Amino acid sequence: MKVAIYHNNHDVRVEEQPIPKPKEGEILVNTKACGVCVADTMEWYLSPRAPLSLGHEPTGVISSIGPNVENFKEGDRVFVHHHVPCLICEYCRKGNFTMCKTFRSTHIHPGGFSEYFIASKMHVERDTLKLPDHVSFEAGTLIEPLACIIHAIKKAKVQPGDSVVLIGAGTMGLLFIECLKYWGVRDLIVYEIMDWRKKNALEFGAQHVLMPDKEPEVEAKRLGEILKSNGADKVFIAAKDIGAMNLGMQLATKGGTITFFATPAPSESIDLYPSHIFFNEITITSTYSADHNDTRMALDMIANGGVSASKIISHRFRLDQLSDAILQTQSRDESLKCIIRFE
Ligand SMILES: [Zn+2]
Ligand SMILES: [Zn+2]
């Protein structure tokens, strides 16, 4: 089988490896499609650990099963989540599944950018989902990214009728817009710098798309006029740059919640004003990844048309073009979701 091996964003080599055999409780999946994530472009995070096989948004067909696999058979069309929790550690017992050590260390082998991969017994039991017939392999690649958004919306405790500010209208931002509307939010205001992304945000249903001012305080005032309050109930920062984070910190109303949904490099920091947070009872939270409850909800949303995969997926590449797909994802040129298709 062909496996893409990542060295850096410009250097991804396709290698031949033997097709693995599923052992007790495992399944072998013939990959059909796999999304390219912004995390697959974070060279500072990836190249120190290279060579790596990436790909965590895969769908495919079960090509063989190991002994004692229940609930799945050869030929089933599936999505497999790459991380699964142990369910019994302190974090899991408190519902913080994405903090679980097992969750962090579990992976599909070798990865979604491979013609075949093995899902372990734990993956099969806990977070392998059958795709309904009408959900395409391409649409199924959105389960993982959408689940991350659902995880964030749940953690921020978004309520129907909330006013929401979303910073960043890239691919994840657009999925956020669809998901927030599904959740019944009232006012949805998006901040975005790039014109083509602004247009997308409006098309996907944002009421207002604003260009962030250089002074976050000026922006807070302008937002207040739109919302007729001093900020939004919920603020989601879905952009990696510090400017976006400093802006986001100004835009929550009293009692509001600010969620960090993207990470800058570890050395970057922002200023916090505890007095502002204290007197306004601002909640600051963050979300990392998604758990097995979120993936199930994501699949439901895709299956019942809550998310329009055909509008989100803009570019398709072959496995030997993975470096191009990574660079396209990184470039912020006019593209949304890039995926790898397997014939
Ligand atoms: Zn991802
Ligand atoms: Zn655990």
Side-chain angles (χ1 to χ4, degrees), residues 30-50:
N30 179 203
T31 320
K32 292 294 177 188
C34 185
V36 178
C37 181
V38 173
D40 299 325
T41 73
M42 295 201 295
E43 229 165 7
W44 60 267
Y45 179 64
L46 299 172
S47 22
R49 297 183 292 136

Side-chain angles (χ1 to χ4, degrees), residues 6-290:
Y6 175 95
H7 292 263
N8 60 56
N9 288 4
H10 293 267
D11 182 9
V12 180
R13 303 169 205 172
V14 174
E15 293 180 4
E16 284 288 337
Q17 288 184 12
I19 297 175
K21 276 211 168 54
K23 299 196 281 283
E24 172 93 20
E26 295 179 343
I27 57 173
L28 176 70
V29 178
N30 179 203
T31 320
K32 292 294 177 188
C34 185
V36 178
C37 181
V38 173
D40 299 325
T41 73
M42 295 201 295
E43 229 165 7
W44 60 267
Y45 179 64
L46 299 172
S47 22
R49 297 183 292 136
L52 287 169
S53 47
L54 303 172
H56 61 264
E57 301 171 358
T59 55
V61 175
I62 297 180
S63 79
S64 62
I65 61 171
N68 300 318
V69 169
E70 291 167 24
N71 305 326
F72 293 100
K73 59 179 190 319
E74 250 179 69
D76 280 347
R77 302 166 70 252
V78 290
F79 156 82
V80 183
H81 192 201
H82 64 311
H83 287 330
V84 285
C86 77
L87 303 179
I88 53 171
C89 73
E90 271 308 293
Y91 302 115
C92 285
R93 279 152 42 104
K94 288 172 179 150
N96 296 320
F97 301 112
T98 62
M99 299 296 107
C100 166
K101 206 169 138 196
T102 303
F103 183 93
R104 298 285 177 104
S105 61
T106 41
H107 292 283
I108 53 170
H109 289 285
F113 299 137
S114 169
E115 284 182 315
Y116 291 86
F117 65 86
I118 290 279
S120 77
K121 185 169 188 283
M122 239 196 275
H123 285 90
V124 174
E125 288 172 349
R126 294 177 193 176
D127 212 353
T128 296
L129 307 179
K130 274 183 215 173
L131 299 178
D133 290 341
H134 72 283
V135 174
S136 68
F137 292 117
E138 287 197 1
T141 64
L142 295 178
I143 293 172
E144 195 273 347
L146 183 60
C148 293
I149 289 165
I150 289 170
H151 194 70
I153 290 176
K154 281 170 30 183
K155 188 133 184 229
K157 300 193 175 76
V158 171
Q159 303 286 336
D162 272 351
S163 58
V164 177
V165 158
L166 170 70
I167 303 180
T171 307
M172 290 305 264
L174 296 178
L175 281 173
F176 249 113
I177 294 173
E178 293 203 306
C179 214
L180 286 163
K181 286 174 60 191
Y182 189 86
W183 233 266
V185 304
R186 187 187 60 198
D187 299 300
L188 178 52
I189 291 122
V190 173
Y191 283 86
E192 175 56 55
I193 302 169
M194 280 178 261
D195 284 332
W196 66 275
R197 284 187 173 180
K198 283 183 183 170
K199 208 170 120 251
N200 281 336
L202 287 170
E203 266 173 36
F204 273 71
Q207 275 101 351
H208 298 273
V209 182
L210 304 178
M211 172 79 167
D213 192 273
K214 283 183 188 60
E215 296 297 322
E217 293 78 11
V218 175
E219 205 45 71
K221 196 160 166 274
R222 185 155 66 126
L223 179 71
E225 281 158 21
I226 293 172
L227 290 177
K228 309 217 172 7
S229 79
N230 57 349
D233 297 313
K234 305 285 150 62
V235 177
F236 291 96
I237 307 169
K240 288 183 294 183
D241 55 288
I242 290 298
M245 295 178 185
N246 280 321
L247 172 65
M249 290 301 292
Q250 306 290 327
L251 302 182
T253 188
K254 291 174 187 290
T257 299
I258 300 164
T259 303
F260 286 80
F261 186 76
T263 179
S267 59
E268 295 186 273
S269 66
I270 58 168
D271 292 330
L272 273 186
Y273 296 92
S275 160
H276 173 77
I277 293 164
F278 175 85
F279 282 113
N280 295 285
E281 288 200 344
I282 302 291
T283 301
I284 297 171
T285 186
S286 65
T287 57
Y288 161 79
S289 196

Side-chain angles (χ1 to χ4, degrees), residues 95 97 126-127 147 150 154 290-298:
F97 301 112
R126 294 177 193 176
D127 212 353
I150 289 170
K154 281 170 30 183
D291 64 42
H292 51 292
N293 298 313
D294 307 315
T295 53
R296 279 159 175 80
M297 184 167 180

